[in-house]
Amino acid sequence: MTCSYPTVAVVGGGASGMMAALIAAQVPGRRVLLLERQQRIGRKLLATGNGRCNLSNMNAAPEEYFGNDAGFASAALRAFTPEDTLRFFSGLGLLTVVEPGGRVYPLSDSANSVLDVLRFALDQAEVELQSSFPVETIVKTGRSFLLQSGTEKLHADAVILACGGAAGSKLGGVSDGYRLGKALGHRRTGLYPSLTRILTESDYPRSLKGIRVEARLRLTRKGLLLAESSGEVQFTDTGISGPAGFDLSRAVSFGGDSQILHIALLPFDEEELLRLLYARCRRFPGLEASELFTGMLHNRLGRVIVKAAGNSPEVELSALTDAQLKSAVRCCLDFSLPVRGVEGFETAQVTAGGLMTDSFSPETLESRLVPGLFACGEVLDIDGPCGGYNLQWAWASGHLAGRLGS
Ligand SMILES: Cc1cc2nc3c(=O)[nH]c(=O)nc-3n(C[C@H](O)[C@H](O)[C@H](O)COP(=O)(O)OP(=O)(O)OC[C@H]3O[C@@H](n4cnc5c(N)ncnc54)[C@H](O)[C@@H]3O)c2cc1C
């Protein structure tokens, strides 16, 4: 029996492209080329999870993903679940650990380990790697494809587009995938940076720089709730960062002007917190108001809340009125910051938007416009929240595309 697609070109040596190449190469007699524009494959992978590589999340169910038609991702994600990711990497010799929140990391705590086992596997599978090979054009000629980079030309029977998205441009994130897709008749949605820092207009964050807190966040616009999240927030000199902030950045990107970020800095309701503060004032009547939250919040954060609530920091706790305490409670449970926007693609972890999925089959990831063309990973209009979801999509979609419809 002759193999379908005897020569396959995978364009992009990132997470999804490496997976697609490995799966495609499982068919005996097939030649698989992995074409990468940078000097090395997997450069972005090395930077993931702050160098630890949060390679999946055990809670990465299809309902967690976004896109104009997020349901498109279901078939790929169901066919290759987080458990499959663990099994797959275990088969390559990688030991992993599952941390709170379902986040999966290599036991070594080093993204290098993930890339190393993938590189060994590619080598073993005899995938032909061509780095420093930026594919500039892909043309369908009859039943095969002609790919060109400078003066070099390659022929392939099938092409898997795995060029990633525009996010992480410092690490080589580019728009090539959208351009190559467009030249083959595909359209893309608008592109928005996601999983990135939220920029606020308030003066408060500057003094709060460096403080981390577990918080609940809500994003509103003209009184309407746009999105909410909870988890770690980090204050920066321009706004907020950290997983809970990142998870709202997609909504900020899409949401337009007049957005307000509301931060609940303690896990209590108003009544509970008020009771705690009354008890505090009774116990430490001689302390200054600036110490109202001492022992409950980071000192600097506590002082900012006292000030934001309109209380003079030097007044003694015994002198604070009911109204003043209630105002401090409201400020602490609804610390509101007007939003200016998000940081751009340079620092964003993922692109929201991409090649429109309606022109691809969700069952195979093959183009409905160009037979033999497949796409996977971030180049498609699918993205996930913070915590290993985007790499899970890269592995799952790469796995499906690598099957080339079989
Ligand atoms: C700083 C940072 C941290 C992150 N941390 C996490 C994390 O911990 N967990 C998580 O799940 N996700 C994380 N992500 C997101 C995740 O890395 C991406 O969603 C994922 O890598 C996408 O995989 P991909 O294969 O689609 O694209 P990429 O991994 O970006 O790979 C695309 C590859 O294609 C190559 N390429 C592009 N154009 C061409 C061309 N014309 N010719 C040849 N090659 C080309 C690129 O150079 C690149 O190597 C992070 C992202 C960033 C930027």
Side-chain angles (χ1 to χ4, degrees):
M1 203 173 73
T2 56
C3 89
S4 61
Y5 304 126
T7 304
V8 175
V10 180
V11 185
S16 68
M18 287 189 270
M19 173 62 92
L22 283 171
I23 301 304
Q26 286 175 352
V27 173
R30 178 181 280 159
R31 181 175 181 222
V32 178
L33 308 163
L34 182 57
L35 312 173
E36 169 54 49
R37 60 179 278 279
Q38 303 190 72
Q39 275 180 357
R40 285 168 178 268
I41 56 172
R43 187 163 162 229
K44 196 186 279 182
L45 194 62
L46 289 179
T48 57
N50 286 325
R52 294 177 65 210
C53 186
N54 178 190
L55 70 148
S56 182
N57 192 300
M58 300 315 286
N59 305 317
E63 306 77 66
E64 306 295 328
Y65 287 81
F66 311 106
N68 275 318
D69 174 16
F72 175 88
S74 292
L77 291 164
R78 286 194 209 291
F80 197 78
T81 62
E83 286 79 8
D84 292 319
T85 299
L86 293 196
R87 261 191 296 276
F88 174 83
F89 278 103
S90 161
L92 301 191
L94 185 80
L95 301 183
T96 50
V97 283
V98 181
E99 295 197 354
R103 292 165 179 247
V104 182
Y105 289 92
L107 183 65
S108 66
D109 243 0
S110 163
N112 272 303
S113 304
V114 182
L115 184 56
D116 283 344
V117 298
L118 285 166
R119 281 194 299 105
F120 292 151
L122 288 164
D123 208 32
Q124 234 173 16
E126 296 181 9
V127 169
E128 294 174 39
L129 176 61
Q130 295 214 27
S131 46
S132 304
F133 194 97
V135 174
E136 283 153 12
T137 56
I138 305 174
V139 181
K140 179 110 197 233
T141 51
R143 291 174 71 106
S144 72
F145 293 86
L146 175 68
L147 298 96
Q148 192 154 356
S149 180
T151 53
E152 285 192 70
K153 290 180 184 171
L154 289 171
H155 288 274
D157 306 295
V159 169
I160 301 176
L161 205 55
C163 296
S169 49
K170 275 187 182 163
L171 300 162
V174 284
S175 300
D176 288 23
Y178 314 124
R179 185 177 50 74
L180 292 168
K182 190 172 169 213
L184 289 160
H186 283 274
R187 288 171 305 139
R188 69 158 171 85
T189 66
L191 304 174
Y192 301 88
S194 184
L195 304 191
T196 185
R197 290 174 175 195
I198 297 176
L199 307 174
T200 65
E201 282 177 350
S202 166
D203 288 342
Y204 297 133
R206 207 175 293 265
S207 60
L208 297 178
K209 186 179 171 186
I211 295 176
R212 292 162 189 246
V213 61
E214 287 292 316
R216 274 175 293 132
L217 302 184
R218 286 182 309 119
L219 182 72
T220 63
R221 182 165 186 257
K222 297 178 180 158
L224 286 178
L225 180 69
L226 297 179
E228 40 190 347
S229 70
S230 56
E232 188 184 295
V233 171
Q234 290 169 27
F235 289 93
T236 70
D237 50 352
T238 51
I240 65 150
S241 153
F246 282 174
D247 275 339
L248 286 195
S249 60
R250 186 181 206 278
V252 172
S253 264
F254 280 78
D257 56 9
S258 314
Q259 297 179 47
I260 310 276
L261 187 64
H262 308 263
I263 311 180
L265 294 161
L266 285 170
F268 305 120
D269 62 25
E270 286 195 11
E271 221 175 282
E272 287 168 326
L273 184 54
L274 193 58
R275 225 179 303 127
L276 281 171
L277 293 188
Y278 277 140
R280 227 181 135 63
C281 292
R282 277 196 305 272
R283 183 131 191 243
F284 306 107
L287 283 183
E288 289 188 342
S290 59
E291 307 290 351
L292 181 63
F293 289 99
T294 302
M296 300 167 96
L297 288 175
H298 189 291
N299 285 354
R300 270 189 285 141
L301 184 54
R303 281 186 205 121
V304 164
I305 298 297
V306 168
K307 214 167 150 196
N311 295 321
S312 161
E314 294 89 27
V315 171
E316 288 189 356
L317 290 187
S318 60
L320 287 178
T321 64
D322 271 9
Q324 285 170 322
L325 283 175
K326 281 179 182 160
S327 162
V329 165
R330 272 193 303 276
C331 264
C332 178
L333 298 183
D334 186 359
F335 184 47
S336 301
L337 303 169
V339 170
R340 184 155 54 90
V342 293
E343 271 192 3
F345 282 113
E346 210 169 277
T347 52
Q349 290 194 5
V350 74
T351 314
L355 292 181
M356 288 186 179
T357 50
D358 57 356
S359 305
F360 290 88
S361 155
E363 307 299 332
T364 59
L365 300 185
E366 184 170 13
S367 162
R368 297 188 201 277
L369 311 177
V370 188
L373 173 71
F374 296 76
C376 54
E378 202 178 307
V379 74
L380 289 168
D381 174 22
I382 296 291
D383 59 290
C386 192
Y389 292 79
N390 288 295
L391 281 173
Q392 180 57 30
W393 165 244
W395 310 128
S397 59
H399 192 270
L400 184 57
R403 289 171 54 187
L404 296 155
S406 66

